[in-house]
Amino acid sequence: MDKELVTMRNQIMLFVLFLLMTSKVTTADFATTSTTDVPSTTPVTTSTTDVPSTTPGPLYPFGAGDTVSSRSDDGSSPPITLEQPFVYFGKPYQQIYVNHNGHLTFNEAFASYKPYRFPAFSSRDLIAPFWTDLDNRWNGTISYRQYSSGSVLQQATQDINQYFPNLGFSVNWVFVATWDKVAYYNNFGTEITFQVVLIAGGQSSFILMNYGEIAPTTQDIQAGYDTVSSIHYFSIPGSFQSNDTTFSNTSNVNVAGRWAFQTNATTSTTDVPSTTPAPTSDEPFAVDDFCIDSIFCKGQGLTGSVYMLSTLLILVFLTILNN
């Protein structure tokens, strides 16, 4: 083998090593496009503030008394048994997982750090207050707590009746999960604070998504919720917009940094607050868990079939060179 072929082979081997070291591979679900879904009784957007006395911004109380999740990249809480079923678009769930990358799931933990766009038309019910690649190993705390009495229930009752008038709603259970000053992956020292609040009473259920300070990033972010086959879904404006920190300032209930949704409906709806800009559609991006159907999977590094195809082609080329 002459020197040029040896040099070329060595360069290719170094490139393969670089890919292996820099790629963070996932088997997460990916899916397509985006439209909208919010209750028709939800008021319109503005940027005023409503500050609970014990917490900054629109956040519900957290910290003391919370269960703190582990420090782990792409980790999750253990299954959390709910003190009462939470009805999520017709399905009563009795357990939930707080996944470190900014989402909640019901049937199993979900480690995905690369968000897909809603609607995903997947087989998963998902609540995503701020789905992106987060890492709480060095800074930040992820915690959660259930309430069945006390001032938090009073606060939730007041909020829901303000945002959804004429319901005469009375809260009897609240679940609060908080990401407090958590960093983006590979960018330790950044701080992102947000929260998701599940609220239930009788057969009615609601979700609040509350946002504190959000550090800028170039990572993809999906905020909103999705359901099995995307019968119900909503993508908060600002999702999939690079370096977007608007979540702390926008709202659909006249409280800067707070979005509210009623989630006990059992029929398909596509209503959005009239002054809230709807999420824009993107090019179709339909891939399976391993990105088999896509030439390139969005996000950091190579994933799925791209990773496997690249490696295979390089190995074939090396074999030809050696012969």
Side-chain angles (χ1 to χ4, degrees):
M1 184 181 299
D2 60 34
K3 290 184 179 181
E4 290 184 359
L5 289 178
V6 172
T7 300
M8 184 180 299
R9 183 186 66 179
N10 291 340
Q11 290 175 341
I12 293 173
M13 292 179 68
L14 288 173
F15 179 67
V16 172
L17 181 62
F18 173 77
L19 291 179
L20 292 173
M21 294 177 63
T22 58
S23 297
K24 184 175 180 182
V25 181
T26 183
T27 58
D29 292 333
F30 293 82
T32 59
T33 67
S34 49
T35 49
T36 52
D37 176 62
V38 175
S40 59
T41 56
T42 306
V44 297
T45 61
T46 57
S47 58
T48 58
T49 57
D50 180 14
V51 182
S53 59
T54 57
T55 55
L59 301 178
Y60 272 38
F62 67 91
D66 285 10
T67 298
V68 178
S69 198
S70 63
R71 290 191 177 275
S72 58
D73 183 35
D74 303 333
S76 178
S77 72
I80 303 164
T81 301
L82 303 182
E83 295 175 1
Q84 77 163 56
F86 180 74
V87 179
Y88 188 65
F89 294 104
K91 296 181 181 179
Y93 285 106
Q94 295 185 316
Q95 71 173 21
I96 203 164
Y97 293 84
V98 176
N99 303 304
H100 292 185
N101 286 317
H103 43 71
L104 306 181
T105 48
F106 297 98
N107 292 325
E108 60 184 356
F110 187 40
S112 175
Y113 63 91
K114 290 187 177 180
Y116 51 62
R117 298 170 185 267
F118 300 158
F121 305 106
S122 73
S123 59
R124 178 178 289 108
D125 284 335
L126 181 71
I127 300 170
F130 196 80
W131 182 3
T132 191
D133 195 359
L134 299 175
D135 190 347
N136 68 325
R137 288 178 295 176
W138 299 104
N139 63 272
T141 301
I142 301 171
S143 64
Y144 50 90
R145 184 177 180 180
Q146 300 185 64
Y147 298 86
S148 56
S149 62
S151 60
V152 170
L153 264 67
Q154 297 173 8
Q155 180 178 354
T157 298
Q158 177 181 337
D159 288 341
I160 296 303
N161 282 304
Q162 177 182 346
Y163 307 150
F164 301 85
N166 305 318
L167 292 181
F169 180 68
S170 180
V171 175
N172 55 31
W173 175 84
V174 172
F175 177 85
V176 181
T178 306
W179 288 252
D180 182 33
K181 299 179 180 178
V182 176
Y184 296 110
Y185 175 78
N186 207 27
N187 197 357
F188 304 123
T190 52
E191 295 184 352
I192 305 95
T193 298
F194 62 94
Q195 190 178 71
V196 60
V197 183
L198 277 55
I199 299 171
Q203 295 299 310
S204 297
S205 58
F206 302 85
I207 296 172
L208 302 182
M209 296 183 183
N210 298 327
Y211 300 94
E213 293 295 324
I214 302 295
T217 182
T218 57
Q219 294 180 176
D220 287 334
I221 298 165
Q222 174 67 78
Y225 62 84
D226 198 22
T227 57
V228 173
S229 300
S230 296
I231 297 173
H232 295 266
Y233 61 91
F234 183 73
S235 183
I236 294 179
S239 298
F240 282 92
Q241 294 181 14
S242 295
N243 202 27
D244 195 308
T245 59
T246 62
F247 296 98
S248 299
N249 302 312
T250 61
S251 175
N252 63 343
V253 291
N254 298 337
V255 179
R258 174 174 292 171
W259 288 74
F261 309 97
Q262 187 171 8
T263 60
N264 56 276
T266 57
T267 57
S268 177
T269 57
T270 53
D271 35 32
V272 180
S274 58
T275 60
T276 303
T280 57
S281 295
D282 266 324
E283 69 281 4
F285 185 57
V287 297
D288 62 12
D289 283 353
F290 296 95
C291 300
I292 297 301
D293 300 323
S294 178
I295 296 301
F296 185 75
C297 297
K298 295 181 180 179
Q300 299 174 340
L302 294 175
T303 63
S305 62
V306 182
Y307 182 86
M308 294 185 290
L309 181 60
S310 299
T311 303
L312 179 60
L313 290 175
I314 291 170
L315 289 175
V316 171
F317 188 57
L318 287 176
T319 302
I320 295 172
L321 290 179
N322 285 326
N323 292 333

